[in-house]
Amino acid sequence: MAEVTEEQVRGALSSVAAPGGDKDLVALGLVSGVVVRDGNVGFTIEITPEQAGAFEPVRKQAEEIVAALPGVLSVTAVLTAERVQQQQRPQQPPQQGQRQPPSKELVPDVGAIVAVASGKGGVGKSTVSINLAMALLAKGLKVGLLDADIYGPSMPKMLGVYGRPDSEDGNMLEPKENYGLKCMSIGFLVAEDTPMIWRGPMVMSAIEQLLRDVNWGTLDIMVVDLPPGTGDAQLTMAQRVPLTGAIIVSTPQDIALLDARKGLNMFRKVEVPVLGIIENMSYFACPHCGERTDIFSHGGAKATAEEMGADFLGEIPLDMAIREASDAGKPITAADPDNPHSQAFMAIADQVWEKAQALKGDSQGPKIVVQ
Ligand code: ADP
C-alpha cells in the first residue's frame, strides 16, 4: 500500500473545525510538525494554555480522521501550549552533532537531571535507575524518577505502583509516589499490553509531556531511565532534555561493552558529560556458600572506562535478592538499606551527586554547555 503523505494528512485535518468558529485547524495555522514514517503519523496542534480543555475533543477527532486514511498504522496528535518554543523545535530528529538548545522550561525546579543509559536491553538499566534514585533519596535529597523507556516501561512494576495518575486541574498530572520517590512513566498512562510504535518526534513529544505536564514540584535531582540503545530516540532525548550528565550501565561481557562504548560516544557527540560507567551483574555471589563466580568475566566495564577516559562508578553483583526485590516492587536499596548491594548503590549515589553538583558549579547558570 502506498505511504500516506503529509499533504493527505493536512488535507484530512482541514476538515476538522476548531472550537467556537467555522475555520478549520489547517486554515488557522494550528497544525505543525507533521511527520509520516512507515505509516505512523505524528503532528502537533498549537494552542494557548487556556484552550487545552476545549481542544482535547478536537485532538481526538483529528487523530480519528487521520487514522481513517488508507495506509495509516498509528496516529499521535499532541496539543502544545508553547507556541513560540514549538516553532523553534525541530520537526525531524536532530542529526548527530547538531546540539539543539535544551528547553529548561520543561522542568523548571529540578536541580540536576541525570540519564541512565545502556547500549542494549536487559543489562539492568532500570534496576540501576530505581536503586540509584532510592539511594539519592536516602541521602535526604528530593528525587524524581522519569521512566523514559517508552518501549518497555518497567517502573510501575519495580516501584509497585500502578494505575492512571491523578490530575487536580485536568491539565497537570500528579506523579506517583512510593517510598517518597516521585515517579512518572508512560506505563501509568497506557495498558501494559498496548503495542507502542514510536518514531523520532513522537518520542520527544511523549517525553516532553512526561517532563512538562507533570507536577514534579521542586527536586534536587531527577533520574531518567532512557530506552536502551544508541538510536534516534536516545539521541533526540540527549539533545532536547537539559541533561546534567549520563551514566552508562553495562554487563562485563565484551559484546555488552561494545554497546557501552557506542553509548559513551553518543553522549560525547552531543556534549552531555558522561558521569561514568556502572558494571551490573558483575559477578555471581552464591546465596548458599557465599562463593563468588565471575560468570561474565568480571571487570570489563572498569577496563573499558579506563580505556575511554571515563570514570568507573562501581559494580553490582548478579544476586537473586536484587531481582526478587525489583519484581516485588520493593527496590532493595529502599527495602533493605543495610544490604551490601544497597550500600554499593549508596556509594554510587554519592559519586553521582558530587559529580552533578560539580557540573552545575562549572557551568555557572546553564547546566550544560550548549554550542
Ligand atoms: P534493562 O532496563 O536494562 O532492560 P532491567 O533492569 O529491567 O534491565 O533488568 C532485567 C532483569 O534482570 C530484571 O528481571 C531484573 O530484576 C534483573 N536484574 C537486573 N540487575 C540484576 C542484578 N544485579 N542481579 C539480579 N538480577 C538483576
Side-chain angles (χ1 to χ4, degrees):
M1 195 183 294
E3 167 98 310
V4 62
T5 63
E6 188 180 326
E7 283 71 50
Q8 286 172 315
V9 172
R10 288 188 167 273
L13 290 174
S14 63
S15 67
V16 180
D22 48 10
K23 286 210 167 159
D24 67 82
L25 297 181
V26 176
L28 288 168
L30 301 181
V31 176
S32 74
V34 180
V35 179
V36 182
R37 285 206 198 150
D38 306 332
N40 299 286
V41 181
F43 54 89
T44 51
I45 303 169
E46 295 177 353
I47 53 168
T48 60
E50 306 77 54
Q51 291 176 310
F55 264 82
E56 181 49 28
V58 177
R59 188 191 67 79
K60 286 209 180 90
Q61 191 194 349
E63 277 189 349
E64 281 162 17
I65 282 184
V66 174
L69 290 172
V72 172
L73 295 177
S74 77
V75 185
T76 309
V78 177
L79 294 178
T80 170
E82 288 175 286
R83 195 172 181 124
V84 175
Q85 198 191 333
Q86 181 67 28
Q87 281 168 351
Q88 292 164 350
R89 275 181 208 154
Q91 297 195 355
Q92 298 291 335
Q95 297 305 302
Q96 290 203 350
Q98 293 180 345
R99 182 141 172 78
Q100 302 291 324
S103 13
K104 290 178 81 188
E105 317 78 61
L106 284 175
V107 272
D109 275 334
V110 179
I113 308 183
V114 172
V116 180
S118 65
K120 63 168 196 167
V123 299
K125 174 182 51 60
S126 303
T127 305
V128 168
S129 300
I130 196 161
N131 281 290
L132 172 64
M134 289 298 178
L136 289 162
L137 202 69
K139 287 170 69 68
L141 298 169
K142 291 196 204 83
V143 188
L145 175 62
L146 172 65
D147 183 3
D149 190 349
I150 49 173
Y151 303 102
S154 43
M155 284 314 156
K157 186 177 174 199
M158 288 194 174
L159 198 58
V161 281
Y162 299 91
R164 282 188 75 83
D166 295 332
S167 176
E168 276 166 25
D169 61 0
N171 289 322
M172 296 292 278
L173 297 174
E174 295 301 313
K176 294 272 184 187
E177 215 172 305
N178 205 0
Y179 302 98
L181 176 73
K182 288 184 179 173
C183 178
M184 183 48 70
S185 166
I186 201 92
F188 297 140
L189 301 168
V190 292
E192 230 175 296
D193 52 1
T194 308
M196 279 185 275
I197 306 165
W198 302 90
R199 304 284 156 169
M202 299 181 201
V203 169
M204 206 49 230
S205 292
I207 302 301
E208 284 190 359
Q209 288 195 345
L210 293 183
L211 279 168
R212 187 189 52 208
D213 300 343
V214 172
N215 202 356
W216 290 105
T218 305
L219 297 178
D220 296 310
I221 188 161
M222 176 183 274
V223 176
V224 183
D225 184 14
L226 287 184
T230 48
D232 253 8
Q234 296 77 4
L235 187 73
T236 312
M237 248 178 264
Q239 292 180 301
R240 297 290 298 154
V241 176
L243 293 176
T244 311
I247 295 165
I248 315 262
V249 179
S250 180
T251 52
Q253 311 95 302
D254 274 343
I255 182 71
L257 286 172
L258 223 143
D259 291 317
R261 281 196 185 96
K262 279 192 210 152
L264 235 140
N265 283 331
M266 176 185 85
F267 285 115
R268 285 188 174 159
K269 252 182 215 137
V270 295
E271 296 184 17
V272 170
V274 174
L275 307 185
I277 299 186
I278 296 174
E279 184 167 282
N280 188 36
M281 309 191 192
S282 185
Y283 57 89
F284 175 65
C286 175
H288 306 296
C289 65
E291 198 193 7
R292 168 186 167 137
T293 316
D294 291 348
I295 298 190
F296 301 127
S297 89
H298 161 260
K302 189 168 191 186
T304 301
E306 272 165 19
E307 195 184 302
M308 299 205 57
D311 285 345
F312 181 66
L313 298 176
E315 57 190 33
I316 307 293
L318 179 69
D319 191 311
M320 282 262 287
I322 297 178
R323 192 195 58 73
E324 281 170 357
S326 284
D327 286 355
K330 295 175 182 163
I332 194 159
T333 309
D336 185 7
D338 295 329
N339 185 294
H341 308 324
S342 308
Q343 298 288 320
F345 279 117
M346 300 224 194
I348 290 172
D350 286 343
Q351 298 176 65
V352 169
W353 178 240
E354 209 171 282
K355 281 167 180 275
Q357 292 302 98
L359 279 166
K360 275 165 58 193
D362 276 356
S363 58
Q364 291 174 353
K367 291 178 197 108
I368 45 181
V369 182
V370 178
Q371 248 183 352

